[in-house]
Amino acid sequence: MVIEERLKELRDKINEKVPAGITVSQVEFEGPELAIYTDDPKRFADEADLIRILARDLRKRIVIRPTILEEPEKAVNDIKSVVPEGAGITDIFFDADTGEVLIEAEKPGVVIGKNGATLREITKAIGWTPKVVRTPPIESTTVKQVRQFMRSVNDERKDFLRTIGRRIHREVTNKDQWVRVTTLGCCREVGRAAFLLSTPESKVLIDCGEKPDNSNNGTPYLYVPEIHPLSQLDAVVLTHAHLDHCALIPLLYKYGYEGPVYSTPPTRDLSSMLQLDYLEVIRKEDKKIPYTSADVRNYLKHSIVLNYGSVTDIAPDIKLTFHNAGHILGSAIAHFHLGDGLYNIAFTGDFNYGKSRLFNPAVSTFPRLEALFMESTYGGANDMQPARKDAEEKLYETVNTVLGRGGKVIIPAFAVGRSQEVMLALEEGMRLGKIPNVKIYLDGMIKEATAIHTTYPEYLNSDLRNLIFREGLNPFLAECFVQVDSNELREKVMVGDPCVIITTSGMMNGGPVLDYLHNLAGDEKNALVFVGYQADGTLGRRIQKGWREVPLGRRETIVINLEIVTVDGFSGHSDRRQLMNYVGHVQPHPEKIFTIHGDENKTIDLASSLYKRYHIETHSPMNLETYRMI
């Protein structure tokens, strides 16, 4: 059946279900959604359950596109008359091509209303389809630029979504039934995550990252015949925004990929921020630049965002659902439903099965599950992390000791995730009098990443949301935090009073942490505190192992006199105990488990231990292997 025939069939089914008098003028696939164009958007809004019923019966994500629209000038006044004053509307943007009005508000829940009631009232008043986004409590350059850019490419995105929509909903022509996964990186190593999920009909790439140890084999195996040409890929799925998973996604567009990248909204914003910063770091180190900022914009133009729990067609025989992974903001376990109930497979990306200050534990219940690819960063037998409370107490003790002797505490941390965890712990420690009230300086991309966290509080855990919205206490806005936004201020911090410095990069492979190391490493009053994983080959791992002289650049060597402290327990990864427990709690139990994203001995050990405890078929795959699932 050709696409036009399928669309006609869908339109006939829709006309059978809509009440008399509602006109459906056109239906069209737009990306993973089925767009229904109508002259009667207000009538659709009156039928509160109609869209839900259509989505259920047609098994499609439905969006209503009005063909008759009220003038924007009048519509603005009507919106403001419908929405309660407490919403704090900061911007209203009309997209005539899609019939959507984007409402930016400080309290989007007030604009949405209970069960979407206010949104329906807006549609009934103006005809436009409203969408709501949050005004960042902390101004975010990234969020602002991403939103402006997406507006500027509306026409191109409309064409792109229609093209992709027709590709997604094409007829399945191959009668064979098999599922394969090819490992293109991240096996028996940490970094360069990339996995190819293949069926006779479709190909999907999961993640495309770099390796954080500055080695020559820092990129996935993107040249192998299984994935070439890149134009044959149906989709790329991004689990989260850390560079070992997202850094090289723009490279795909440089070499011919033109399809969508699916992620959660925070992952889209954070990944673009980190990719641009990644290019800047490479440029400063005088290394070969893998792609340009134009390729990052091309990625954004082709991005499609999905919220947790939204079941979405991404290929003719593949449905994708994101679930909370508990690792960083927007991190997701990617669950794939293949064929008509043929097979189900999940990729955890990086995940945390324990509750943190920021996030709820990773989801462990799925509708169906036959195979699980799970990270093993802390999969070794001795990789036990202390309780978060014990970790925070050790951090407080270290801070008190170092400040007491007149020193500075330097904490290298990933801009996304660990920085915010440490910020929340230190802010509470000061508020409760557990540590002195000193300045906490944020250097690198930390403040910008934190601003993005405040833009998407719905992705934070319930305790933190309650603190922000019900108690009116946003710890990210505490006065103790000071952004280092110039070389002059950085120099003042280094020669100034005792303080705490949280700075990038987390593994000390670049960024402002090297300036602090250069200037402060020689003073034994200071301390370097590791709160995150240090991969083999990184400067952070060398110092953590006890190196007292480390190379800094091509000609300089730094003598390490400051105290080295490792505070385990802040990691966004599950430790060995949690990894084992996670598999025990996963429902339904998978038939196969693949341990990935960990040093060789850890992935092998975890696979062996899981088999012995749960009697599940396990594998510790190597790169460039292909596994047939069915």
Side-chain angles (χ1 to χ4, degrees):
M1 182 186 298
V2 297
I3 288 292
E4 282 72 18
E5 292 175 348
R6 192 161 182 206
L7 286 169
K8 183 180 183 302
E9 181 183 280
L10 288 168
R11 181 175 173 179
D12 291 342
K13 288 182 178 179
I14 292 168
N15 281 324
E16 289 174 5
K17 295 180 182 297
V18 299
I22 295 182
T23 302
V24 174
S25 57
Q26 180 187 358
V27 295
E28 184 61 72
F29 292 124
E30 294 182 1
E33 297 177 322
L34 180 66
I36 300 175
Y37 286 81
T38 176
D39 298 340
D40 305 301
K42 299 178 182 181
R43 293 282 303 280
F44 264 94
D46 278 329
E47 302 287 339
D49 294 327
L50 180 57
I51 296 175
R52 181 181 57 80
I53 292 169
L54 288 173
R56 181 197 65 197
D57 293 350
L58 301 177
R59 300 178 67 184
K60 304 292 179 192
R61 293 175 63 197
I62 302 293
V63 61
I64 303 301
R65 301 278 192 234
T67 55
I68 299 175
L69 302 169
E70 187 176 81
E71 286 297 319
E73 292 78 7
K74 184 176 186 304
V76 167
N77 293 327
D78 290 342
I79 290 171
K80 291 181 177 179
S81 67
V82 170
V83 176
E85 291 183 6
I89 294 175
T90 56
D91 191 18
I92 299 176
F93 172 76
F94 295 89
D95 181 4
D97 289 331
T98 62
E100 292 179 347
V101 54
L102 185 70
I103 303 171
E104 187 175 289
E106 295 170 355
K107 297 179 179 179
V110 177
V111 182
I112 295 169
K114 188 175 182 180
N115 298 322
T118 307
L119 289 184
R120 290 193 294 274
E121 289 301 316
I122 292 172
T123 300
K124 284 192 280 186
I126 66 174
W128 296 76
T129 302
K131 287 194 172 182
V132 189
V133 294
R134 184 179 304 278
T135 304
I138 302 175
E139 185 174 352
S140 166
T141 302
T142 299
V143 171
K144 183 177 181 180
Q145 290 177 345
V146 167
R147 290 177 179 175
Q148 288 177 342
F149 174 74
M150 300 303 273
R151 291 178 184 179
S152 72
V153 294
N154 264 333
D155 292 343
E156 295 171 69
R157 272 187 64 83
K158 187 174 182 180
D159 292 340
F160 159 70
L161 289 172
R162 289 199 169 184
T163 300
I164 291 302
R166 289 174 173 246
R167 181 171 172 82
I168 290 171
H169 297 97
R170 68 186 185 270
E171 186 177 5
V172 174
T173 57
N174 203 308
K175 303 306 178 185
D176 291 338
Q177 290 190 327
W178 50 259
V179 177
R180 301 192 307 168
V181 174
T182 302
T183 58
L184 303 176
C186 203
C187 292
R188 303 193 182 189
E189 64 180 355
V190 174
R192 59 170 175 171
F195 298 88
L196 182 67
L197 174 62
S198 305
T199 71
E201 195 70 36
S202 311
K203 289 189 175 184
V204 174
L205 179 66
I206 298 99
D207 289 339
C208 191
E210 55 97 40
K211 197 168 182 179
D213 62 359
N214 287 326
S215 62
N216 292 326
N217 59 341
T219 60
Y221 294 93
L222 298 177
Y223 56 82
V224 296
E226 287 88 342
I227 196 173
H228 259 278
L230 293 176
S231 58
Q232 70 181 337
L233 286 173
D234 285 271
V236 175
V237 173
L238 177 57
T239 60
H240 67 285
H242 277 152
L243 289 173
D244 57 334
H245 294 256
C246 78
L248 299 180
I249 281 179
L251 188 71
L252 301 174
Y253 291 96
K254 181 177 179 179
Y255 289 106
Y257 180 59
E258 296 179 347
V261 176
Y262 294 91
S263 73
T264 63
T267 294
R268 177 198 62 189
D269 294 358
L270 289 168
S271 61
S272 62
M273 176 194 78
L274 291 174
Q275 287 158 359
L276 292 172
D277 185 60
Y278 171 69
L279 291 180
E280 189 62 27
V281 170
I282 292 176
R283 198 173 287 115
K284 288 179 179 177
E285 294 177 351
D286 200 26
K287 295 180 180 178
K288 183 179 179 181
I289 298 174
Y291 52 83
T292 67
S293 57
D295 297 308
V296 178
R297 291 193 296 272
N298 209 5
Y299 150 52
L300 282 175
K301 186 170 66 176
H302 291 82
S303 65
I304 296 177
V305 293
L306 306 173
N307 292 316
Y308 293 150
S310 177
V311 182
T312 303
D313 291 298
I314 64 170
D317 56 348
I318 300 179
K319 294 181 185 293
L320 166 67
T321 310
F322 283 137
H323 300 277
N324 171 43
H327 176 62
I328 64 170
L329 186 73
S331 60
I333 297 173
H335 179 272
F336 298 93
H337 179 85
L338 305 167
D340 188 12
L342 177 67
Y343 204 75
N344 287 257
I345 185 169
F347 291 79
T348 66
D350 294 350
F351 77 105
N352 186 4
Y353 195 44
K355 186 176 181 179
S356 67
R357 282 185 174 271
L358 285 169
F359 309 113
N360 290 323
V363 166
S364 59
T365 301
F366 306 94
R368 274 185 55 185
L369 187 65
E370 279 77 46
L372 176 68
F373 280 72
M374 63 181 290
E375 69 126 320
S376 315
T377 311
Y378 291 110
N382 299 318
D383 289 340
M384 303 298 183
Q385 296 280 316
R388 186 60 59 101
K389 183 179 179 181
D390 295 337
E392 291 177 358
E393 289 301 324
K394 183 175 180 180
L395 178 62
Y396 296 156
E397 179 184 336
T398 301
V399 169
N400 283 324
T401 299
V402 176
L403 295 179
R405 66 183 182 225
K408 296 179 175 63
V409 180
I410 309 164
I411 304 176
F414 299 115
V416 179
R418 299 298 68 73
S419 294
Q420 289 73 35
E421 286 279 349
V422 173
M423 287 172 65
L424 292 178
L426 291 173
E427 185 276 335
E428 184 178 281
M430 286 187 185
R431 184 158 35 90
L432 299 180
K434 294 184 177 183
I435 56 177
N437 191 1
V438 298
K439 292 299 182 185
I440 301 173
Y441 292 100
L442 311 177
D443 206 337
M445 300 297 295
I446 295 171
K447 183 178 180 182
E448 181 62 23
T450 302
I452 297 174
H453 279 69
T454 67
T455 307
Y456 297 103
E458 62 270 26
Y459 284 83
L460 304 175
N461 68 37
S462 53
D463 293 340
L464 187 53
R465 289 201 306 271
N466 287 339
L467 191 67
I468 294 172
F469 295 120
R470 293 188 181 178
E471 300 182 27
L473 177 61
N474 190 332
F476 293 123
L477 300 176
E479 293 182 358
C480 59
F481 298 122
V482 178
Q483 172 69 15
V484 179
D485 51 13
S486 68
N487 290 330
E488 291 76 15
L489 180 54
R490 185 177 300 145
E491 290 173 4
K492 289 181 180 178
V493 171
M494 289 187 287
V495 300
D497 295 333
C499 62
V500 177
I501 303 161
I502 308 175
T503 181
T504 54
S505 69
M507 296 186 191
M508 304 186 69
N509 275 344
V513 69
L514 300 183
D515 282 344
Y516 292 106
L517 187 68
H518 179 274
N519 288 276
L520 301 176
D523 191 340
E524 60 188 17
K525 295 197 301 293
N526 301 324
L528 184 66
V529 181
F530 291 108
V531 294
Y533 181 78
Q534 304 297 308
D536 274 336
T538 61
L539 178 61
R541 175 63 75 91
R542 295 188 186 107
I543 294 174
Q544 193 178 45
K545 283 181 175 179
W547 286 30
R548 286 298 169 181
E549 291 189 6
V550 295
L552 200 65
R554 295 179 180 177
R555 300 180 180 179
E556 188 175 6
T557 299
I558 297 295
V559 176
I560 304 294
N561 288 329
L562 81 177
E563 182 183 3
I564 307 300
V565 180
T566 296
V567 180
D568 292 322
F570 280 100
S571 176
H573 299 269
S574 291
D575 68 1
R576 167 61 174 247
R577 186 183 299 105
Q578 289 175 340
L579 291 169
M580 296 293 292
N581 289 340
Y582 182 77
V583 172
H585 293 152
V586 165
Q587 292 294 329
H589 288 309
E591 299 168 358
K592 300 176 182 178
I593 294 178
F594 297 81
T595 56
I596 58 172
H597 196 286
D599 295 337
E600 181 174 3
N601 62 324
K602 297 179 188 293
T603 60
I604 294 173
D605 189 310
L606 182 62
S608 174
S609 300
L610 289 171
Y611 172 74
K612 289 176 182 176
R613 179 179 293 185
Y614 298 112
H615 307 292
I616 295 173
E617 179 185 335
T618 58
H619 301 269
S620 169
M622 299 175 66
N623 289 329
L624 292 178
E625 293 184 332
T626 296
Y627 290 84
R628 182 169 179 174
M629 302 295 158
I630 190 171

